Amino acid sequence: MDFRRIEWLFLVAFIAIDIFLFAAFQRDTTGQTDTDSSRSVDSDTTIVKEMRADDIKFSAPSKKSGEGYYISTSNNDSVKSNLTSLTDQTVRYQSDGTFTATFKAAINGVDTKHPDQVLDEVVNNGSLILNGDQYKYNAQLSSHNTVVYTQRVTDGQIYSKFGEIRFSLTNTGSVTGYSQGYLPGVKTLREKTDTISERKALIWLYQYNQIANNSKVVWTKLAYTRYFNLKNSSVYIPTWIIAYKADSGNNAGVLQLKRVNAFTGAILNSDSNVKSVSGTATTSD
C-alpha cells in the first residue's frame, strides 16, 4: 500500500474542505447585498470603539484584505546530512529536525541595537550557517539577548522555530552559538487565496476574549505558521500574529503573541508555534 499517496490524498482533501468552508463563511459574514456590507462595516466600527473604551491601545488597523498560499514543506532528514559542511562549530541534531550549534570561537563586537550589521555576514557565510541566504533578520522577534532570523518562503516569512535561526547574544555583544530550523522542499499547494484584514483579525481576538483590557498592541504581522503536520510533510498557512502587552495584572509588561488563521479567522491555540515570555517572544511546538 502506497502510504505516501494516501497521505497526499488526505492533504488535498483537507485543504479542499478548508477552502470550501472558508468560502461559505465569507458568504455568510460578508453578505450578498450592499445593506449587509454596510451593517458589517458599522458593526466593526462599533467594536473598534468598544476596544478603545476598554483601554486597548492600537494604531488604526488596515481594513485591506491580503492574499496568501497554502504551502507544504518536506519532513525529511536532508538537513541532517548537510550539517557536515559546517565548520568551526559543534553541531547537535535534534529529533524534531532542528539543530543547535556552538561556535569554537565566539563572534564578538555585535551591537545589541543593530546586531544584523555583524550577523548578516555570518548568516550569509555558507560554511557557518546552512542555507543562510534564505533567511532575513527579524527585529520583531529579536530581543536584547536573542537575535532571530526568519526563513523567507514564497511571499512571506516563517514565524516558527522550524524556519528560524536564533543566535544567543551576551550583554557584552558576543555570540557563542545558535539554534536553527530549516524547511526544505517548500511548495505552494494552490493559487493565492484571500485573507482577512488586520482589523478583522484584531476584532476577532477581542470578541473571543483573547486580548486583555488595559493593554497595548505592540505590533502585528501576517506570516506563515504551521497548520498541521503529517509523516512526510507539513502545511503552513498565512497567520495574523498580534503582539500585545498588558498594562496591569499578573502579565503586565509581558509581550504576548496571539495567532489568527488569516483564511478563516479561527483563533489558533493548539500546536501553537509561539508562546509568551517576559520582554520578548520565543517559539515552540
Side-chain angles (χ1 to χ4, degrees), residues 47-56 58 206 213-214:
I47 295 171
V48 168
K49 290 181 179 178
E50 291 176 359
M51 294 175 67
R52 295 197 185 279
D54 285 333
D55 201 22
I56 299 174
F58 51 91
Y206 174 73
N213 295 347
N214 304 308

Side-chain angles (χ1 to χ4, degrees), residues 9 13 16 32-33 37 39 74 81 92 111 183 187 201 211 235 260 277-278 282:
L9 289 173
Q32 299 298 317
T33 66
S37 297
R39 288 174 180 172
S74 299
S81 62
R92 294 182 180 178
D111 185 344
L183 300 177
K187 298 178 181 178
I211 185 168
V235 172
V260 179
V277 297
S278 179
T282 63

Side-chain angles (χ1 to χ4, degrees), residues 5 65 72 74 85 90 99 104 137 196 237 248 254-255 279 285:
R5 179 179 177 81
S65 299
S72 70
S74 299
S85 65
T90 302
F99 61 94
K104 293 180 179 179
Y137 170 62
I196 63 173
I237 58 169
S248 60
V254 176
L255 186 68
D285 279 352

Side-chain angles (χ1 to χ4, degrees), residues 104-243:
K104 293 180 179 179
I107 297 170
N108 299 313
V110 180
D111 185 344
T112 56
K113 293 184 178 180
H114 303 285
D116 51 315
Q117 293 179 351
V118 171
L119 292 180
D120 275 356
E121 184 175 349
V122 175
V123 169
N124 288 305
N125 185 335
S127 64
L128 295 178
I129 301 294
L130 194 65
N131 301 313
D133 59 345
Q134 297 181 37
Y135 294 80
K136 180 180 180 181
Y137 170 62
N138 191 307
Q140 288 180 333
L141 294 181
S142 297
S143 68
H144 183 74
N145 294 116
T146 305
V147 183
V148 181
Y149 281 72
T150 46
Q151 185 177 345
R152 294 173 292 180
V153 293
T154 314
D155 60 345
Q157 298 175 56
I158 296 292
Y159 273 45
S160 163
K161 73 173 184 179
F162 301 106
E164 291 178 354
I165 304 170
R166 303 180 70 85
F167 292 99
S168 300
L169 180 62
T170 68
N171 293 332
T172 57
S174 295
V175 169
T176 57
Y178 66 94
S179 62
Q180 182 177 354
Y182 175 72
L183 300 177
V186 176
K187 298 178 181 178
T188 57
L189 298 178
R190 287 182 57 88
E191 65 278 2
K192 275 190 172 182
T193 302
D194 290 340
T195 64
I196 63 173
S197 67
E198 176 188 20
R199 186 167 88 154
K200 184 65 73 175
L202 190 60
I203 285 172
W204 278 338
L205 271 184
Y206 174 73
Q207 289 182 309
Y208 283 97
N209 299 315
Q210 294 295 308
I211 185 168
N213 295 347
N214 304 308
S215 61
K216 179 181 180 181
V217 175
V218 180
W219 55 262
T220 64
K221 178 69 175 181
L222 184 62
Y224 284 91
T225 64
R226 190 167 68 171
Y227 193 29
F228 62 87
N229 187 50
L230 299 172
K231 181 179 179 181
N232 295 310
S233 61
S234 295
V235 172
Y236 286 72
I237 58 169
T239 302
W240 276 109
I241 301 174
I242 298 176

Side-chain angles (χ1 to χ4, degrees), residues 9-19 70 227-228:
L9 289 173
F10 169 79
L11 175 62
V12 171
F14 181 89
I15 292 174
I17 293 171
D18 204 35
I19 292 173
Y70 285 90
Y227 193 29
F228 62 87

